[in-house]
Each structure stands twice: as structure tokens, then as C-alpha cells.
Amino acid sequence: FCLQETKGSLKIPGYKCFNSLRLDSRSGGICLGVKHELTPFISYIKTSSKSQDIRAAVISHKLTNLSKDILLVNIYDSPDNSSYKLKQIANGTYEETLETLNNILISKGNDRLLMLCGDFNARTGRENSNTTNEDEILHDLSVGSFSTSSHPTSTGLRASRDRQLNPRGKRLIDLATAHNLKILNGATIGDATGEFTCVTYNGLSVVDYIVASYSLATNIKAFTVNEFNSISDHRPISCTIQATTSLPFPSLERVLNFKDKPVGYKWNKSASGCSKDAFHAFQNNPHIKTKTDELCRKVCATKNDVIELNESLVQTFNEIALGTLERKKCTVKKGHNKNIWFDTECRKEKRKTNKLGKQYCKHPTDLNRDMFYKQKKVYRQILKKKKRSFFSQSLVKKSFMKRPLTGKASK
């Protein structure tokens, strides 16, 4: 999988994650994840040090049985007016992401199939690369299934609900044409209409793409724009590559064989309800005595005998604890604003804002959007008012105090 705008390092069970974070910036961040079973066939390669928004990996042909290796590139190209890019321009370190990507494809993409995935923030309208794949067309002619509707790229067009074409979209099309790549959005089975991939308060657009070599596109049997969710304002996109492999994969039972979290118990040291006395008294139970005697008489000759003895001993202690001690409650700690001026009114408005935000994520209608941003504006105004009032009072008090304010109050 390829993720963008992670804003931090990710660790996902069952996957090896290759994270890349921006230097001196809280925004951006990308992650390329690979299942642990597939890591022998995936090699992470170094790209240009100038951009932390591009990372690549090579998928070996031994895994897919294709003619060549696949160069998979994960890209996040933030908007031109983003604070990160404006800061780079001011420092004189800015380099266009698509230009960096082009250099990577030239240096690393030789004799490899290419696949680009990510958030390009490029709107390409209905345009596609102006190259055609002769092998693909000749294959369809041989089976008598060729038609211009099945090959929208042969005319340089594809289906898309977003008809706008911006300058970055034109540059992306030029890049695809130069490297003989095909934009899968709206030109592959599963996305006949070219669905929107980004849903924000500003409107709907197609800015997330999967772009692949024409020779690889013949093996891509489906491209899907998945359902909108509350995690992001971008809809996940995915594609299915037809490949044959004889590698042994672990069964579903082994992959999902997770053990439950151990139960925690409270140990009472007070004289009134001493857990120590109750613990010792419960061991005189005939059933527990029989179990402990059997454990004491057991002889361990192999490694498996030691493991079985350890499991039996732990099970016995858990049985004693369950009969004598009180179980700990599983509680989730919630983060609270620790500012002194953040009072009950602020918390109340914060709850309202979060509630409307969740509602807007589940049902992104114009009404829910207006309600959410109206409440968000009210919440911000209250925060400013409370903060300003607190610090103005603190400055007045400070002039009469012998001792200066410290910590958060001094800020």
C-alpha cells in the first residue's frame, strides 16, 4: 500500500513500513507498506535526497512472473500555495516534484515496468497520455475485441467526472507521454465514469491517480475508487494486477491467530482486605493443591516439556488470581487541553465541533458542511476570547506580584 500525508511514522501489524517524513515540517509524510511474507521480493531503493515526498520500491519479477521488475513509486505533491513549498521557495531550495520524479524515472526506471501512485494535486480533466500501446491494440485485434471505447487512451481521452485541466495536470500528462504511461483513472474496468477522489468543503475533484506503463496496464484487470471514510477527505484508490505465483502463503488462521491481552489484577496491600492473605488461603483449595503437586512432580526432558510446564504454571496462577483478586478496568486515556484558560465552555464547544465534524465526514452534504464550519468558527472565536481575557488579567496581576509568573502562565 501507498499512503500520503501521514504526518508521522506508521507501524502496522503484519507489514514492513517504509516511512519518509519532511525535515522541519509537520505536514506531508508518506509511507510504503509491504506484507512481511513478501519482503524477500521487495527492495526499497534510494531516491533523490532533494524530495522527501517521493519514495520507491522494486517488486521482483520472481513474485509476479512478469517479464520485468516493477518500479513502484509513492508520490505526494502538495499544492503550490502550501506553506511547505512557499518556505522552500523563500530558502531557494525548491524543486518541482514532477521534475524530480522525471529524473528518478530516467535513472531508476530503465528496463523496468513503472507504476506511480499518489496524491498529485493535479487535475487532468479527461486527458490521458497521447501514446498508444501497439502490443495492447494488436492483441485485441487478434481476438477481435478492439474498439475505440475499450481503448479511450488511443484517442488521448478517458472518462472523468472532473472536467477541469490545470497547469500541473498538463505537466503530469506530459510526464506520462514521455515515459509511455497510462492514467488508469477512468480508463480501466471498475472506474467507467472517472469518479471523484477528493471530497472537501471547496468541492469535488480528481487529484489521486495510479499511472502505469502500457505493457503493465494489460495485466491490470480492475481499478477502483473506494468508498469515502472518516479518516481522510480523499477516497482510497486501488488496482488489481493479474499475476501467477507458486509461492507458499500462510493460511488465514495463522495470520489472524492473535492472542488476547493478558488480564490485569489489582493487588490490595491494606490490612482490611489484604490480597496476600487471600492469595495464600486460596492455594489450600484441594483442586489447586492437586494441580501444584502435579507441577512439582513433572520432569522436563525436552524444550516442549519446559514450554508446557510454563504454560501450566501461568494458568494456575491466573486461576488463583481470578478467585482472589479484583480485575483491573480497561480504560482509555483521553487527551485534554491542559491550558489554564480552557474552561467548561471551551470543552462544550469543542464537543459540538467534533460531533458536527464526524457527521460531515459520514454525510458530506452542503448542509452538514455549512453547519460544521459555522460551529468551527464559533469555537475558534471562543478560544481567542478566553485566551485574550486570561492573559490580559495575568498581565494586570503580574504588576502587583512580587514573584513572576512561571510555566504556562508566563507564556
Side-chain angles (χ1 to χ4, degrees), residues 250-319:
S251 64
L252 187 62
E253 291 181 8
R254 185 181 140 196
V255 174
L256 300 178
N257 188 21
F258 295 110
K259 293 183 179 180
D260 294 333
K261 181 183 175 183
V263 179
Y265 298 94
K266 290 182 181 179
W267 187 265
N268 189 1
K269 292 184 179 180
S270 62
S272 58
C274 183
S275 298
K276 184 179 178 182
D277 297 337
F279 203 75
H280 284 301
F282 195 82
Q283 293 181 53
N284 295 323
N285 186 302
H287 172 66
I288 299 297
K289 267 194 169 184
T290 306
K291 269 193 149 185
T292 51
D293 291 341
E294 289 176 358
L295 292 174
C296 291
R297 288 194 298 269
K298 189 167 184 178
V299 178
C300 298
T302 63
K303 180 181 177 181
N304 289 333
D305 292 340
V306 175
I307 293 172
E308 287 178 9
L309 177 62
N310 179 62
E311 289 178 351
S312 301
L313 186 61
V314 171
Q315 187 180 358
T316 305
F317 275 115
N318 280 330
E319 195 173 339

Side-chain angles (χ1 to χ4, degrees), residues 184-394:
L184 301 184
N185 303 55
T188 315
I189 293 173
D191 188 30
T193 57
E195 288 295 322
F196 294 111
T197 64
C198 183
V199 182
T200 65
Y201 68 94
N202 289 330
L204 310 174
S205 59
V206 177
V207 293
D208 307 280
Y209 301 92
I210 296 181
V211 187
S213 300
Y214 273 93
S215 49
L216 176 60
T218 56
N219 291 85
I220 295 175
K221 298 305 174 186
F223 172 88
T224 310
V225 179
N226 299 288
E227 292 299 321
F228 185 80
N229 57 62
S230 58
I231 298 174
S232 171
D233 54 3
H234 291 255
R235 297 171 65 182
I237 58 176
S238 58
C239 71
T240 304
I241 302 176
Q242 185 179 24
T244 55
T245 180
S246 57
L247 298 174
F249 287 98
S251 64
L252 187 62
E253 291 181 8
R254 185 181 140 196
V255 174
L256 300 178
N257 188 21
F258 295 110
K259 293 183 179 180
D260 294 333
K261 181 183 175 183
V263 179
Y265 298 94
K266 290 182 181 179
W267 187 265
N268 189 1
K269 292 184 179 180
S270 62
S272 58
C274 183
S275 298
K276 184 179 178 182
D277 297 337
F279 203 75
H280 284 301
F282 195 82
Q283 293 181 53
N284 295 323
N285 186 302
H287 172 66
I288 299 297
K289 267 194 169 184
T290 306
K291 269 193 149 185
T292 51
D293 291 341
E294 289 176 358
L295 292 174
C296 291
R297 288 194 298 269
K298 189 167 184 178
V299 178
C300 298
T302 63
K303 180 181 177 181
N304 289 333
D305 292 340
V306 175
I307 293 172
E308 287 178 9
L309 177 62
N310 179 62
E311 289 178 351
S312 301
L313 186 61
V314 171
Q315 187 180 358
T316 305
F317 275 115
N318 280 330
E319 195 173 339
I320 297 170
L322 187 63
T324 57
L325 304 178
E326 184 183 351
R327 294 180 66 170
K328 286 183 179 179
K329 292 181 180 179
C330 183
T331 56
V332 179
K333 293 182 179 180
K334 294 184 179 180
H336 296 289
N337 197 316
K338 296 182 180 180
N339 288 311
I340 302 171
W341 49 266
F342 197 87
D343 58 9
T344 309
E345 187 181 359
C346 296
R347 291 190 182 91
K348 185 179 177 182
E349 295 300 326
K350 184 180 179 181
R351 285 193 206 102
K352 282 185 185 178
T353 308
N354 291 340
K355 187 176 180 181
L356 289 173
K358 290 177 183 178
Q359 185 178 332
Y360 175 47
C361 286
K362 289 181 180 178
H363 309 286
T365 61
D366 291 339
L367 178 62
N368 288 339
R369 181 191 63 191
D370 294 341
M371 290 170 62
F372 170 62
Y373 281 98
K374 191 180 289 183
Q375 173 60 31
K376 192 174 181 180
K377 185 177 180 181
V378 172
Y379 174 56
R380 285 179 174 175
Q381 287 175 349
I382 288 174
L383 291 183
K384 286 181 181 179
K385 181 182 175 183
K386 294 286 182 181
K387 191 175 181 180
R388 193 182 297 114
S389 174
F390 171 77
F391 287 119
S392 61
Q393 291 176 12
S394 298

Side-chain angles (χ1 to χ4, degrees), residues 398-409:
K398 190 174 180 181
S399 60
F400 297 100
M401 288 174 67
K402 294 180 181 179
R403 207 171 151 190
L405 293 171
T406 58
K408 289 186 178 180

Side-chain angles (χ1 to χ4, degrees), residues 50-246:
K50 294 182 180 180
S51 177
Q52 289 84 42
D53 295 332
I54 302 176
R55 285 297 176 265
V58 175
I59 304 173
S60 173
H61 66 278
K62 294 178 182 179
L63 175 65
T64 60
N65 280 335
L66 296 175
S67 58
K68 301 176 182 178
D69 295 342
I70 300 174
L71 178 64
L72 176 64
V73 188
N74 186 14
I75 307 110
Y76 172 60
D77 194 358
S78 54
D80 292 328
N81 60 348
S82 65
S83 58
Y84 176 72
K85 286 198 171 179
L86 293 175
K87 185 178 178 181
Q88 282 189 320
I89 293 170
N91 295 337
T93 58
Y94 174 72
E95 183 177 337
E96 191 177 346
T97 306
L98 290 179
E99 186 178 340
T100 306
L101 175 61
N102 181 54
N103 295 333
I104 292 170
L105 296 181
I106 292 171
S107 60
K108 308 289 184 181
N110 292 333
D111 202 31
R112 285 171 177 160
L113 301 173
L114 304 178
M115 176 174 277
L116 317 179
C117 311
D119 178 5
F120 291 85
N121 279 296
R123 303 179 73 173
T124 56
R126 297 179 62 213
E127 300 292 325
N128 209 329
S129 58
N130 294 320
T131 18
T132 55
N133 183 19
E134 294 180 2
D135 295 337
E136 183 182 3
I137 295 173
L138 289 172
H139 169 74
D140 284 353
L141 283 171
S142 65
V143 297
S145 63
F146 177 79
S147 67
T148 54
S149 60
S150 64
H151 286 273
T153 52
S154 60
T155 60
L157 294 176
R158 58 188 177 83
S160 180
R161 296 185 66 184
D162 183 5
R163 300 301 177 90
Q164 185 172 339
L165 176 65
N166 64 6
R168 188 183 292 185
K170 292 178 181 178
R171 292 196 295 273
L172 177 59
I173 292 165
D174 291 341
L175 176 75
T177 303
H179 294 277
N180 198 26
L181 305 176
K182 173 182 178 181
I183 298 176
L184 301 184
N185 303 55
T188 315
I189 293 173
D191 188 30
T193 57
E195 288 295 322
F196 294 111
T197 64
C198 183
V199 182
T200 65
Y201 68 94
N202 289 330
L204 310 174
S205 59
V206 177
V207 293
D208 307 280
Y209 301 92
I210 296 181
V211 187
S213 300
Y214 273 93
S215 49
L216 176 60
T218 56
N219 291 85
I220 295 175
K221 298 305 174 186
F223 172 88
T224 310
V225 179
N226 299 288
E227 292 299 321
F228 185 80
N229 57 62
S230 58
I231 298 174
S232 171
D233 54 3
H234 291 255
R235 297 171 65 182
I237 58 176
S238 58
C239 71
T240 304
I241 302 176
Q242 185 179 24
T244 55
T245 180
S246 57

